[in-house]
Amino acid sequence: MKSGQKGISLDPRAKLMLLICLSGPAVFVGDLRYMAGLFGASVLCAILCGADVRRAAPFLKATVVMLIPLFIVQCLFTRAGAPVLTIAGHAAVTDEGLKAGALMVLRILTVVISALIIATSPSRDYLLALIQCGIPYELAFMIMTAMHFLPLLSAEAADMVNAVQMKGIDLKRIPLRRKAGVYLSLMLPLLSRTLGRAEAMSCAMQMRGFRSRPQRTYMRRLILSVRDRIVIILAPLAAAAFLLWEKSVI
């Protein structure tokens, strides 16, 4: 196990396979019980791989807060099933609506939790893993660059929201329509900054001679251990069996 790393030490390719096998079935599962089991499996895998849940707690909290209105909308617009809440003689919430809302929340949380597995290794390891999987360097570099952009975009969006609140606009108290207008007005400067950063990075890469040589060498090479090979083989088999079981095929 690497120094300073907690949890089971896995090759980045094994972690990518775990991510695919956990988040992929979440898209197709339609039963709440199976979805809850898949969510529990994603939490267990993230803990075993040494994911820093405490450090990710603010992000998880923000995700849960974002999911609350989506859950409410899903409950209100799903009309099938027996009424659970009736207003003026009309069914406002049904049991199928509650199931659909819970299923959507668990589906998104499963994807988010399983993504924490990726955060347990340096990004350069994933770049090397993608290249050793046969992906062209340019494409692998673009994928890793996009992953680096996401935290920056999140930080800039948070700064913009804080700036709006410091101007006296309480986003928690204003009407929903006005709140949507505020968020839409923030999208344009955020998009403009993103395009500007992408253009600056493109110029810097060209000035440094990016891909000036057809071949690229690396100082080290990732080697799959027996444990990694077991995970890479068993994870997709388990995911396929889980989906077939959920669909009552087996």
Side-chain angles (χ1 to χ4, degrees), residues 6-21:
K6 299 179 180 180
I8 300 175
S9 178
L10 290 176
D11 186 89
R13 287 166 287 185
K15 294 180 180 180
L16 289 173
M17 181 59 70
L18 278 178
L19 173 62
I20 295 173
C21 294

Side-chain angles (χ1 to χ4, degrees), residues 5-248:
Q5 181 182 348
K6 299 179 180 180
I8 300 175
S9 178
L10 290 176
D11 186 89
R13 287 166 287 185
K15 294 180 180 180
L16 289 173
M17 181 59 70
L18 278 178
L19 173 62
I20 295 173
C21 294
L22 288 171
S23 59
V27 180
F28 302 100
V29 172
D31 190 292
L32 184 59
R33 296 170 299 174
Y34 290 92
M35 193 67 248
L38 187 61
F39 172 73
S42 66
V43 173
L44 179 61
C45 290
I47 294 175
L48 290 177
C49 290
D52 193 348
V53 180
R54 292 184 178 181
R55 185 177 180 182
F59 174 72
L60 295 176
K61 181 180 178 181
T63 303
V64 172
V65 172
M66 179 192 68
L67 291 177
I68 292 177
L70 297 178
F71 172 77
I72 296 174
V73 170
Q74 190 73 27
C75 292
L76 294 177
F77 283 90
T78 303
R79 312 309 306 162
V84 175
L85 177 63
T86 304
I87 300 178
H90 298 281
V93 179
T94 64
D95 57 347
E96 291 296 330
L98 290 174
K99 291 180 181 179
L103 183 65
M104 181 203 63
V105 170
L106 285 178
R107 180 177 289 121
I108 297 177
L109 287 178
T110 299
V111 175
V112 172
I113 293 296
S114 59
L116 294 179
I117 299 174
I118 302 299
T120 58
S121 294
S123 59
R124 61 179 180 274
D125 288 349
Y126 293 105
L127 177 61
L128 189 57
L130 292 174
I131 294 172
Q132 290 187 203
C133 288
I135 298 178
Y137 176 78
E138 294 84 352
L139 181 58
F141 183 83
M142 289 171 58
I143 294 174
M144 300 310 303
T145 302
M147 292 180 62
H148 281 293
F149 262 115
L150 292 179
L152 296 176
L153 291 178
S154 178
E156 286 192 1
D159 292 340
M160 289 182 179
V161 171
N162 292 334
V164 170
Q165 292 178 338
M166 291 178 65
K167 292 181 179 180
I169 300 177
D170 192 351
L171 295 176
K172 296 182 179 180
R173 297 183 179 181
I174 62 176
L176 182 60
R177 180 178 298 180
R178 187 182 175 191
K179 183 185 297 186
V182 172
Y183 282 114
L184 287 176
S185 64
L186 296 178
M187 292 300 295
L188 184 59
L190 183 63
L191 179 61
S192 177
R193 291 185 182 183
T194 303
L195 294 177
R197 182 179 285 107
E199 184 178 2
M201 179 175 291
S202 175
C203 293
M205 291 168 57
Q206 291 179 359
M207 293 178 65
R208 294 183 180 184
F210 180 74
R211 299 304 287 162
S212 59
R213 300 288 183 179
Q215 299 295 329
R216 185 180 179 90
T217 59
Y218 305 93
M219 294 183 62
R220 65 190 183 94
R221 183 176 180 84
L222 299 176
I223 300 176
L224 292 173
S225 65
V226 176
R227 179 189 300 165
D228 299 323
R229 296 178 187 274
I230 292 175
V231 171
I232 292 175
I233 295 173
L234 292 185
L237 293 178
F242 177 79
L243 284 176
L244 293 175
W245 186 28
E246 192 269 337
K247 302 301 180 183
S248 300

